[in-house]
Amino acid sequence: MYDVIIVGAGPAGSATATVLRRKGYQVLLLDKAQFPREKICGEFISPEIPEVLDRLEVLQPVQEKKPWEIQGILISSYQTVQFKLNFPQVSSRGVPRADANFQGFNMPRFILDEILLRNAGRAGAEVLEGFKVVDLIFQDDRILGVKGVHPEGYRVEFKSRLVVGAGGRNCVVAKRLNLHAGYRWLRKMGLMTYFKGVQDPGRYVEMYVNPPGYCGIAPLGEDLVNVSLVVDLDAIQGYREKRGATVKPQVSSSGPKEGDLSDYFLESLFKNRLVKEKLEGARMVRRLQGVGPLAFRARRCSWDGALLVGDSAGFIDPFTGEGIYHALRSGELAAEVIHEAFKANNFSKEFLQRYDRARTQEFRRKFRICHALQHILYRPWLANRVARSLARDSVLKDWLVPWNP
Ligand SMILES: Cc1cc2nc3c(=O)[nH]c(=O)nc-3n(C[C@H](O)[C@H](O)[C@H](O)COP(=O)(O)OP(=O)(O)OC[C@H]3O[C@@H](n4cnc5c(N)ncnc54)[C@H](O)[C@@H]3O)c2cc1C
């Protein structure tokens, strides 16, 4: 019997495991993947993250991998207005960011997530990779553990006092409890790949808002960039109907070829002349991967004997590049509440609901900004107007930028 079983070893699961182990709990951390593993992501590590990495004692190993340090975000609205948001020199918790330790950077998730996972293992969490959780163990409504498929192929059950759902957007814990709900009005899909041979990757993450959605270019090295595109699922559906049914919204292809989403991806990117100029002479070097619909919410993040952390607790849109921060920080918050639950010997949803409250309190402003952006981004006149105001007005800029105090 474990104290806590964590389903999913992305940033949320690994952070939760590390903090709980440090508090002395017996933790089992399960992931269906073998690490290192790839992840669909813009790979922008926002300026708030290094502080969390520092607390988790992984900042140094991360820095040793020489991530691509950046100074801020460049935003381009409908090829009309362009401005830069530079990272503030003081973090949201008042820590000076004068030295590079506390700046934002870009880093492949392939590397970052493995560092976080191994760190949880070093802290004493029992880590089982290649283990797919398929169901939960219930006693009435209370969750008492998980059922899954061992890497060697046999079925096995593990029991615990608490289960943490950290399985991302398709988290089996949330699904089994029927806690996820979609947004009817917000049906986007994210596509990502790498380009090599970029002349000047620069020190900014560049966000280009332009039909049919927006594109993010995040430099990862001297001539390597991560390119992500977020588009309407209906636009993909329209393309699919035009080209025949071979194009599926869930895509994972090996490169550009007639009739698959790589064609659509490249066509959409190069509709924007600024993106075309940026990627002039560069070539796509990683299979195109996609995920959608992007937005969903959790009706609640606590249950009798269970909590949801990271994406499993809900996701809106990657524009603000805050997903990894939310994953790490929600893991820390959950670990604190779990510690209190053990002290009180109370694992009821009424008690664990204090995690929902702490999470809402901490992220309310960020969630609002994220929602507001969905109403702004896809209306060119409004997006340009907001962009112009932001370019001019530093007070508004400070308020809107999610990583500002
Ligand atoms: C297109 C796109 C671009 C993005 N860009 C950025 C960005 O630039 N910066 C940023 O901060 N965020 C970005 N995000 C968001 C970010 O990727 C997520 O918020 C983050 O990965 C959430 O971490 P997590 O630990 O909650 O989940 P995940 O990273 O998804 O980890 C979940 C883990 O659970 C495991 N798992 C799932 N199901 C099971 C199961 N049944 N059994 C066992 N294991 C299981 C998976 O293998 C996985 O390892 C982006 C998202 C998208 C879609």
Side-chain angles (χ1 to χ4, degrees), residues 74-90:
L74 178 147
I75 295 181
S76 162
S77 177
Y78 293 91
Q79 304 183 69
T80 311
V81 192
Q82 190 159 304
F83 64 97
K84 284 177 176 170
L85 295 168
N86 289 308
F87 295 146
Q89 291 306 302
V90 177

PDB file of all heavy atoms in Angstrom, residues 74-90:
ATOM      1  N   LEU A  74       8.033  38.252 -29.016  1.00  0.00           N
ATOM      2  CA  LEU A  74       7.673  39.194 -30.078  1.00  0.00           C
ATOM      3  C   LEU A  74       6.278  38.807 -30.556  1.00  0.00           C
ATOM      4  O   LEU A  74       6.030  37.628 -30.825  1.00  0.00           O
ATOM      5  CB  LEU A  74       8.686  39.092 -31.217  1.00  0.00           C
ATOM      6  CG  LEU A  74       8.443  39.962 -32.448  1.00  0.00           C
ATOM      7  CD1 LEU A  74       9.784  40.380 -33.045  1.00  0.00           C
ATOM      8  CD2 LEU A  74       7.606  39.265 -33.506  1.00  0.00           C
ATOM      9  N   ILE A  75       5.381  39.795 -30.596  1.00  0.00           N
ATOM     10  CA  ILE A  75       4.024  39.485 -31.055  1.00  0.00           C
ATOM     11  C   ILE A  75       3.732  40.257 -32.333  1.00  0.00           C
ATOM     12  O   ILE A  75       3.956  41.470 -32.411  1.00  0.00           O
ATOM     13  CB  ILE A  75       2.984  39.806 -29.962  1.00  0.00           C
ATOM     14  CG1 ILE A  75       3.241  38.876 -28.771  1.00  0.00           C
ATOM     15  CG2 ILE A  75       1.554  39.617 -30.493  1.00  0.00           C
ATOM     16  CD1 ILE A  75       2.308  39.023 -27.618  1.00  0.00           C
ATOM     17  N   SER A  76       3.263  39.526 -33.326  1.00  0.00           N
ATOM     18  CA  SER A  76       2.942  40.143 -34.611  1.00  0.00           C
ATOM     19  C   SER A  76       1.464  39.880 -34.888  1.00  0.00           C
ATOM     20  O   SER A  76       1.022  38.729 -34.891  1.00  0.00           O
ATOM     21  CB  SER A  76       3.822  39.511 -35.691  1.00  0.00           C
ATOM     22  OG  SER A  76       3.278  39.770 -36.954  1.00  0.00           O
ATOM     23  N   SER A  77       0.704  40.968 -35.074  1.00  0.00           N
ATOM     24  CA  SER A  77      -0.738  40.821 -35.247  1.00  0.00           C
ATOM     25  C   SER A  77      -1.131  41.094 -36.697  1.00  0.00           C
ATOM     26  O   SER A  77      -0.965  42.217 -37.191  1.00  0.00           O
ATOM     27  CB  SER A  77      -1.444  41.805 -34.300  1.00  0.00           C
ATOM     28  OG  SER A  77      -2.826  41.755 -34.471  1.00  0.00           O
ATOM     29  N   TYR A  78      -1.616  40.076 -37.365  1.00  0.00           N
ATOM     30  CA  TYR A  78      -2.146  40.177 -38.726  1.00  0.00           C
ATOM     31  C   TYR A  78      -1.221  40.943 -39.676  1.00  0.00           C
ATOM     32  O   TYR A  78      -1.693  41.741 -40.495  1.00  0.00           O
ATOM     33  CB  TYR A  78      -3.558  40.774 -38.695  1.00  0.00           C
ATOM     34  CG  TYR A  78      -4.522  39.815 -38.020  1.00  0.00           C
ATOM     35  CD1 TYR A  78      -4.748  39.880 -36.647  1.00  0.00           C
ATOM     36  CD2 TYR A  78      -5.143  38.811 -38.744  1.00  0.00           C
ATOM     37  CE1 TYR A  78      -5.590  38.975 -36.018  1.00  0.00           C
ATOM     38  CE2 TYR A  78      -5.993  37.898 -38.117  1.00  0.00           C
ATOM     39  CZ  TYR A  78      -6.211  37.987 -36.762  1.00  0.00           C
ATOM     40  OH  TYR A  78      -7.041  37.081 -36.143  1.00  0.00           O
ATOM     41  N   GLN A  79       0.062  40.740 -39.533  1.00  0.00           N
ATOM     42  CA  GLN A  79       1.098  41.344 -40.394  1.00  0.00           C
ATOM     43  C   GLN A  79       1.023  42.865 -40.391  1.00  0.00           C
ATOM     44  O   GLN A  79       1.509  43.528 -41.305  1.00  0.00           O
ATOM     45  CB  GLN A  79       0.970  40.822 -41.838  1.00  0.00           C
ATOM     46  CG  GLN A  79       1.024  39.302 -41.921  1.00  0.00           C
ATOM     47  CD  GLN A  79       0.981  38.788 -43.341  1.00  0.00           C
ATOM     48  OE1 GLN A  79       1.920  38.965 -44.095  1.00  0.00           O
ATOM     49  NE2 GLN A  79      -0.117  38.147 -43.702  1.00  0.00           N
ATOM     50  N   THR A  80       0.383  43.422 -39.353  1.00  0.00           N
ATOM     51  CA  THR A  80       0.153  44.867 -39.318  1.00  0.00           C
ATOM     52  C   THR A  80       0.892  45.525 -38.156  1.00  0.00           C
ATOM     53  O   THR A  80       1.585  46.519 -38.339  1.00  0.00           O
ATOM     54  CB  THR A  80      -1.370  45.154 -39.157  1.00  0.00           C
ATOM     55  OG1 THR A  80      -2.063  44.386 -40.116  1.00  0.00           O
ATOM     56  CG2 THR A  80      -1.685  46.621 -39.328  1.00  0.00           C
ATOM     57  N   VAL A  81       0.712  44.968 -36.954  1.00  0.00           N
ATOM     58  CA  VAL A  81       1.337  45.559 -35.764  1.00  0.00           C
ATOM     59  C   VAL A  81       2.308  44.537 -35.177  1.00  0.00           C
ATOM     60  O   VAL A  81       1.997  43.353 -35.110  1.00  0.00           O
ATOM     61  CB  VAL A  81       0.288  45.882 -34.668  1.00  0.00           C
ATOM     62  CG1 VAL A  81       0.891  46.758 -33.586  1.00  0.00           C
ATOM     63  CG2 VAL A  81      -0.943  46.516 -35.261  1.00  0.00           C
ATOM     64  N   GLN A  82       3.454  45.014 -34.758  1.00  0.00           N
ATOM     65  CA  GLN A  82       4.441  44.108 -34.170  1.00  0.00           C
ATOM     66  C   GLN A  82       5.081  44.783 -32.965  1.00  0.00           C
ATOM     67  O   GLN A  82       5.401  45.965 -33.021  1.00  0.00           O
ATOM     68  CB  GLN A  82       5.496  43.794 -35.226  1.00  0.00           C
ATOM     69  CG  GLN A  82       6.431  42.683 -34.826  1.00  0.00           C
ATOM     70  CD  GLN A  82       7.111  42.066 -36.048  1.00  0.00           C
ATOM     71  OE1 GLN A  82       6.444  41.603 -36.968  1.00  0.00           O
ATOM     72  NE2 GLN A  82       8.426  42.069 -36.048  1.00  0.00           N
ATOM     73  N   PHE A  83       5.233  44.057 -31.870  1.00  0.00           N
ATOM     74  CA  PHE A  83       5.905  44.641 -30.701  1.00  0.00           C
ATOM     75  C   PHE A  83       6.556  43.539 -29.876  1.00  0.00           C
ATOM     76  O   PHE A  83       6.251  42.356 -30.046  1.00  0.00           O
ATOM     77  CB  PHE A  83       4.920  45.448 -29.844  1.00  0.00           C
ATOM     78  CG  PHE A  83       3.836  44.611 -29.238  1.00  0.00           C
ATOM     79  CD1 PHE A  83       3.947  44.147 -27.930  1.00  0.00           C
ATOM     80  CD2 PHE A  83       2.705  44.279 -29.962  1.00  0.00           C
ATOM     81  CE1 PHE A  83       2.953  43.361 -27.368  1.00  0.00           C
ATOM     82  CE2 PHE A  83       1.707  43.490 -29.408  1.00  0.00           C
ATOM     83  CZ  PHE A  83       1.830  43.032 -28.114  1.00  0.00           C
ATOM     84  N   LYS A  84       7.455  43.983 -28.969  1.00  0.00           N
ATOM     85  CA  LYS A  84       8.170  43.012 -28.134  1.00  0.00           C
ATOM     86  C   LYS A  84       7.769  43.178 -26.676  1.00  0.00           C
ATOM     87  O   LYS A  84       7.629  44.303 -26.201  1.00  0.00           O
ATOM     88  CB  LYS A  84       9.679  43.240 -28.248  1.00  0.00           C
ATOM     89  CG  LYS A  84      10.262  42.739 -29.546  1.00  0.00           C
ATOM     90  CD  LYS A  84      11.743  43.054 -29.619  1.00  0.00           C
ATOM     91  CE  LYS A  84      12.347  42.448 -30.881  1.00  0.00           C
ATOM     92  NZ  LYS A  84      13.718  42.916 -31.112  1.00  0.00           N
ATOM     93  N   LEU A  85       7.610  42.055 -25.988  1.00  0.00           N
ATOM     94  CA  LEU A  85       7.409  42.077 -24.538  1.00  0.00           C
ATOM     95  C   LEU A  85       8.691  41.526 -23.927  1.00  0.00           C
ATOM     96  O   LEU A  85       9.008  40.352 -24.119  1.00  0.00           O
ATOM     97  CB  LEU A  85       6.250  41.163 -24.136  1.00  0.00           C
ATOM     98  CG  LEU A  85       4.849  41.534 -24.612  1.00  0.00           C
ATOM     99  CD1 LEU A  85       3.890  40.378 -24.387  1.00  0.00           C
ATOM    100  CD2 LEU A  85       4.364  42.761 -23.871  1.00  0.00           C
ATOM    101  N   ASN A  86       9.431  42.383 -23.247  1.00  0.00           N
ATOM    102  CA  ASN A  86      10.667  41.895 -22.629  1.00  0.00           C
ATOM    103  C   ASN A  86      10.370  41.350 -21.245  1.00  0.00           C
ATOM    104  O   ASN A  86       9.486  41.855 -20.548  1.00  0.00           O
ATOM    105  CB  ASN A  86      11.691  43.024 -22.555  1.00  0.00           C
ATOM    106  CG  ASN A  86      12.219  43.350 -23.937  1.00  0.00           C
ATOM    107  OD1 ASN A  86      12.670  42.471 -24.669  1.00  0.00           O
ATOM    108  ND2 ASN A  86      12.119  44.604 -24.315  1.00  0.00           N
ATOM    109  N   PHE A  87      11.091  40.326 -20.843  1.00  0.00           N
ATOM    110  CA  PHE A  87      10.846  39.751 -19.524  1.00  0.00           C
ATOM    111  C   PHE A  87      11.183  40.765 -18.440  1.00  0.00           C
ATOM    112  O   PHE A  87      12.187  41.466 -18.531  1.00  0.00           O
ATOM    113  CB  PHE A  87      11.701  38.497 -19.305  1.00  0.00           C
ATOM    114  CG  PHE A  87      11.351  37.368 -20.219  1.00  0.00           C
ATOM    115  CD1 PHE A  87      12.321  36.505 -20.680  1.00  0.00           C
ATOM    116  CD2 PHE A  87      10.039  37.167 -20.624  1.00  0.00           C
ATOM    117  CE1 PHE A  87      12.000  35.462 -21.525  1.00  0.00           C
ATOM    118  CE2 PHE A  87       9.706  36.126 -21.475  1.00  0.00           C
ATOM    119  CZ  PHE A  87      10.695  35.277 -21.922  1.00  0.00           C
ATOM    120  N   PRO A  88      10.348  40.825 -17.410  1.00  0.00           N
ATOM    121  CA  PRO A  88      10.644  41.745 -16.309  1.00  0.00           C
ATOM    122  C   PRO A  88      11.877  41.278 -15.544  1.00  0.00           C
ATOM    123  O   PRO A  88      12.205  40.093 -15.543  1.00  0.00           O
ATOM    124  CB  PRO A  88       9.398  41.660 -15.431  1.00  0.00           C
ATOM    125  CG  PRO A  88       8.741  40.386 -15.800  1.00  0.00           C
ATOM    126  CD  PRO A  88       9.129  40.051 -17.199  1.00  0.00           C
ATOM    127  N   GLN A  89      12.514  42.206 -14.878  1.00  0.00           N
ATOM    128  CA  GLN A  89      13.739  41.860 -14.154  1.00  0.00           C
ATOM    129  C   GLN A  89      13.457  41.319 -12.755  1.00  0.00           C
ATOM    130  O   GLN A  89      14.346  40.839 -12.078  1.00  0.00           O
ATOM    131  CB  GLN A  89      14.659  43.088 -14.062  1.00  0.00           C
ATOM    132  CG  GLN A  89      15.247  43.478 -15.412  1.00  0.00           C
ATOM    133  CD  GLN A  89      15.956  42.315 -16.091  1.00  0.00           C
ATOM    134  OE1 GLN A  89      16.876  41.739 -15.542  1.00  0.00           O
ATOM    135  NE2 GLN A  89      15.504  41.955 -17.286  1.00  0.00           N
ATOM    136  N   VAL A  90      12.195  41.436 -12.315  1.00  0.00           N
ATOM    137  CA  VAL A  90      11.839  40.910 -10.994  1.00  0.00           C
ATOM    138  C   VAL A  90      10.710  39.907 -11.175  1.00  0.00           C
ATOM    139  O   VAL A  90       9.762  40.152 -11.906  1.00  0.00           O
ATOM    140  CB  VAL A  90      11.379  42.046 -10.055  1.00  0.00           C
ATOM    141  CG1 VAL A  90      10.937  41.483  -8.711  1.00  0.00           C
ATOM    142  CG2 VAL A  90      12.508  43.040  -9.855  1.00  0.00           C
TER     143      VAL A  90
END
